[in-house]
Amino acid sequence: SDQKAKEIDSSLGENVKGYKSNVSKKEDCYNFVKLVLAMFGRIDILVNNAGITDDNLLIRMSQEHWSNVITSNLDSVFNMTKLVVMHMLKQRQGSVKNLTSFVRIKRNAGQSNYASSKAGVIRFTMSVSLDLVTKNIRSKCIAPVFIKTAMIDKLNKEHMYNWIKTIPLKRAGLGEDIANVAMFL
């Protein structure tokens, strides 16, 4: 795996690092958590935001397309949460934020794998929050409607416009909008 740390921004006096890791693989998650703990000594907040789409109608969707999305979007949340929570339990505090999607409510053709994975993240988070609430570890979901990412750049422009016109602000959200929500929670 390619898990190299690089400095992102120190302009605010913060010690911030970026990592590249495949969190759908349990071994990569283990190595990633080990690296973060070696560098910082503790983990206070986990934000699970990995996600992919591989849309197709059910009758055309292969097992591989189904599994790739479920592995990336749902297994990664399990892998990272389980490993990080073990350390949060020792610290007697922590916060887990899992990104899901409004798609789990709003129906889109060809997204049975994506919608299932994101609905699974919600139910996982609800269950984990009950498991951990007495241990001073919070677990919450963030379910944005439409965020400007490389994933939505692939959408048909008319489809994108139709989504945006349903949003009260009449614009797609930004990554920093979600980061601010995660930090607030």
Side-chain angles (χ1 to χ4, degrees):
S1 81
D2 182 17
Q3 297 178 336
K4 297 176 183 163
K6 65 177 183 174
E7 192 160 331
I8 300 292
D9 182 7
S10 59
S11 64
L12 299 174
E14 300 295 325
N15 191 4
V16 178
K17 305 285 181 187
Y19 301 90
K20 181 180 179 182
S21 182
N22 184 346
V23 292
S24 66
K25 295 181 179 177
K26 187 177 179 179
E27 185 178 337
D28 281 12
C29 293
Y30 175 80
N31 291 332
F32 174 70
V33 170
K34 186 177 170 183
L35 182 67
V36 171
L37 287 169
M39 187 164 294
F40 296 102
R42 60 185 289 129
I43 300 174
D44 297 301
I45 301 168
L46 170 64
V47 179
N48 287 306
N49 68 340
I52 64 167
T53 60
D54 196 351
D55 299 348
N56 213 333
L57 298 176
L58 178 64
I59 59 173
R60 293 187 185 129
M61 186 177 294
S62 69
Q63 179 67 44
E64 181 181 7
H65 290 161
W66 172 269
S67 295
N68 287 343
V69 172
I70 297 298
T71 299
S72 291
N73 298 1
L74 186 55
D75 291 357
S76 63
V77 173
F78 169 78
N79 291 338
M80 286 301 297
T81 302
K82 184 174 180 181
L83 287 168
V84 169
V85 160
M86 300 302 270
H87 297 282
M88 289 178 173
L89 287 168
K90 292 175 191 170
Q91 297 168 186
R92 293 190 166 92
Q93 68 175 357
S95 179
V96 178
K97 306 298 177 271
N98 296 322
L99 267 72
T100 183
S101 172
F102 190 70
V103 167
R104 95 273 185 233
I105 295 173
K106 184 177 176 13
R107 298 176 303 169
N108 285 338
Q111 289 196 314
S112 60
N113 53 1
Y114 183 77
S116 295
S117 71
K118 293 304 184 175
V121 169
I122 292 169
R123 299 309 293 183
F124 174 84
T125 304
M126 292 171 75
S127 181
V128 166
S129 69
L130 292 174
D131 293 347
L132 300 174
V133 68
T134 62
K135 308 294 185 203
N136 199 32
I137 299 171
R138 298 173 319 280
S139 181
K140 304 284 183 205
C141 277
I142 300 171
V145 175
F146 198 69
I147 303 300
K148 181 96 174 101
T149 64
M151 191 163 42
I152 69 161
D153 287 343
K154 295 184 252 178
L155 291 176
N156 171 294
K157 297 300 177 199
E158 182 180 344
H159 183 72
M160 193 181 314
Y161 172 75
N162 288 335
W163 264 94
I164 289 173
K165 72 181 184 181
T166 67
I167 299 170
L169 290 175
K170 305 296 182 214
R171 70 166 177 85
L174 304 174
E176 70 184 55
D177 297 330
I178 303 308
N180 289 334
V181 169
M183 290 307 297
F184 173 77
L185 293 175

